[in-house]
Amino acid sequence: MDLLTGRRPRTAPRPEPRRLTRTDVLVIAVAGAVTVANLYFPQPLLDAIARGLRVSPHTAGLVASAAQLGYALGILFLVPLADTARLRRLTTVLLALTSGGLLVAAAAPNVLTLTLATLAVSTTTVLPQILTPVAAALAGPGRRGRVVGLVGLGLTLGSTLSRTVSGVASDAGGSWRTAYLLAAVATAALLWFVPRALPERLGATGDRLPYRRLLGSLPRLFAEHREVRESALTGAAVFAAYSVFWATLSFHLAAPPLGLGPGVAGLFGVLSLPGALLSAYVGRLADRYGAGTVRTGALLCLAVSFVVVGLGARSPVALVVGANLLVLGTSAAQVANQARIFELDARIAARVNTVFMLCTFGGGALGTLTAAWLYGAYGWSATVLSSAGFTALAALVVTLARRAAAPSCGARDRREAGTHSRVPRRERR
């Protein structure tokens, strides 16, 4: 089998992939929650880090910036390896490196060491973006949306609750270093469970592609697959809308007439858990009604959320309701987009997820920059309108993609698509 084209000899049947058990799915969801938490748990500790290392808050903020930069680097340079590497060895190495990096960060004598350790940790803690496509590939068509939804729920809970847990651990231990030690122990514990829940490889033993060609195939996947382009651009616009809200919420809560402190802003993460928990059922809906239907519902949910937070700008209750709708809509859109791209060949699952997540994070960065400028210049109403604008952009991408696809349905049954032959929609469903 030629991995570059994805073509197998007609006489060679494609091996049946191993299917995930419920225990495997639970292990993967917990592993995703623990590892993604390594990105977010330092955020509430920045003030304590600044005081402990005797630096300015602005300098301590480099730790948070290093985390985002490292995660992007890991998605680009490490996640594609899952398509051809030995999964058990890859996950073991990444977990070991992440645990070691967290221990170095816990013992960091200065902010430079802590920043470099954070950069290394965030680069290797990309296990969630490896486990999600692997779980989708092993779940099979009938369970793909459900499994992606459960793994996504783990990621949402991990990113949301990590801030609370790290704050409690820091207070209980009397130092910000306690939270890093706790994270190191939790990550190291995954070494006993995660490799056992995974197959040796996603593809056949001979499915190997040089690393340079793995990375080189990423632009081709974006260019050749309409599903990847549509999902990536939609995901970027949705995450931009999401980031605008959360980047300016604390400023809006602190301003008159609300006048609420940072503690309340942090509490919004916990108060939005109902929306996160509801998103666990989105995958079931995607399996039953299709990813396109779920994505349309997600965009409608986002639109309603911005109406609520726009009209109820002075009501904490309305803001909480809007935040839950926003979390639910964003999570639903991501599950639907990923379920859609994972319908493609399992041998490129990690790479299409790389393309999708890079675009999504790029949209989030654009949203954050937009929010900072708009709120400072025009206030809360302008940021809400910009979030609604990004949501409308996502809807436009979906609409144009559907119109562009309509004339060519069934025109060609196969064509070369980056690294494999495209399979007709009727064969994939």
Side-chain angles (χ1 to χ4, degrees), residues 17-316:
R18 165 191 165 185
R19 299 303 181 194
L20 291 176
T21 65
R22 292 184 178 181
T23 302
D24 293 336
V25 175
L26 177 61
V27 169
I28 289 175
V30 171
V34 171
T35 50
V36 81
N38 293 331
L39 287 176
Y40 299 101
F41 82 82
Q43 292 179 355
L45 309 177
L46 294 179
D47 183 62
I49 290 173
R51 288 186 280 105
L53 298 180
R54 298 180 181 180
V55 296
S56 67
H58 175 73
T59 302
L62 294 175
V63 175
S65 300
Q68 297 299 322
L69 175 61
Y71 200 59
L73 292 175
I75 290 174
L76 177 59
F77 293 110
L78 296 180
V79 172
L81 290 171
D83 280 340
T84 58
R86 297 173 60 182
L87 291 175
R88 293 174 182 174
R89 175 181 293 180
L90 177 62
T91 54
T92 298
V93 170
L94 291 179
L95 288 171
L97 290 175
T98 302
S99 302
L102 288 166
L103 291 176
V104 172
N110 52 59
V111 72
L112 177 60
T113 303
L114 179 60
T115 301
L116 293 177
T118 299
L119 181 66
V121 165
S122 57
T123 301
T124 57
T125 196
V126 290
L127 200 59
Q129 305 311 326
I130 291 176
L131 294 179
T132 301
V134 168
L138 299 180
R143 299 173 59 215
R144 182 173 289 119
R146 182 183 308 180
V147 169
V148 171
L150 289 174
V151 176
L153 174 62
L155 302 188
T156 302
L157 293 178
S159 60
T160 301
L161 297 180
S162 61
R163 300 175 178 90
T164 304
V165 173
S166 68
V168 172
S170 179
D171 290 341
S175 171
W176 58 269
R177 300 179 189 273
T178 305
Y180 279 87
L181 291 173
L182 178 62
V185 172
T187 303
L190 297 176
L191 285 165
W192 296 98
F193 305 102
V194 176
R196 292 178 172 86
L198 301 176
E200 187 63 22
R201 296 181 188 274
L202 268 183
T205 304
D207 288 356
R208 302 298 301 273
L209 197 64
Y211 181 68
R212 177 179 59 82
R213 300 182 76 182
L214 273 177
L215 295 184
S217 68
L218 297 179
R220 294 181 64 185
L221 289 172
F222 183 86
E224 296 291 340
H225 288 281
R226 178 177 55 82
E227 295 90 342
V228 175
R229 291 195 303 274
E230 181 186 346
S231 296
L233 294 175
T234 304
V238 167
F239 202 56
Y242 177 88
S243 299
V244 167
F245 175 84
W246 290 106
T248 55
L249 178 63
S250 59
F251 298 107
H252 176 64
L253 292 174
L258 294 175
L260 301 174
V264 176
L267 189 61
F268 263 72
V270 177
L271 293 176
S272 62
L273 279 180
L277 294 174
L278 284 174
S279 67
Y281 295 96
V282 169
R284 298 174 184 264
L285 298 177
D287 287 334
R288 184 171 182 179
Y289 300 107
T293 301
V294 170
R295 185 170 53 188
T296 300
L299 294 178
L300 289 174
C301 188
L302 288 171
V304 172
S305 74
F306 296 126
V307 172
V308 172
V309 300
L311 297 179
R314 299 186 177 185
S315 168

Side-chain angles (χ1 to χ4, degrees), residues 244 247-248 251 366-379 382-383 386:
V244 167
T248 55
F251 298 107
L366 176 62
T368 301
L369 292 173
T370 301
W373 174 72
L374 282 178
Y375 186 84
Y378 303 105
T383 59
S386 69

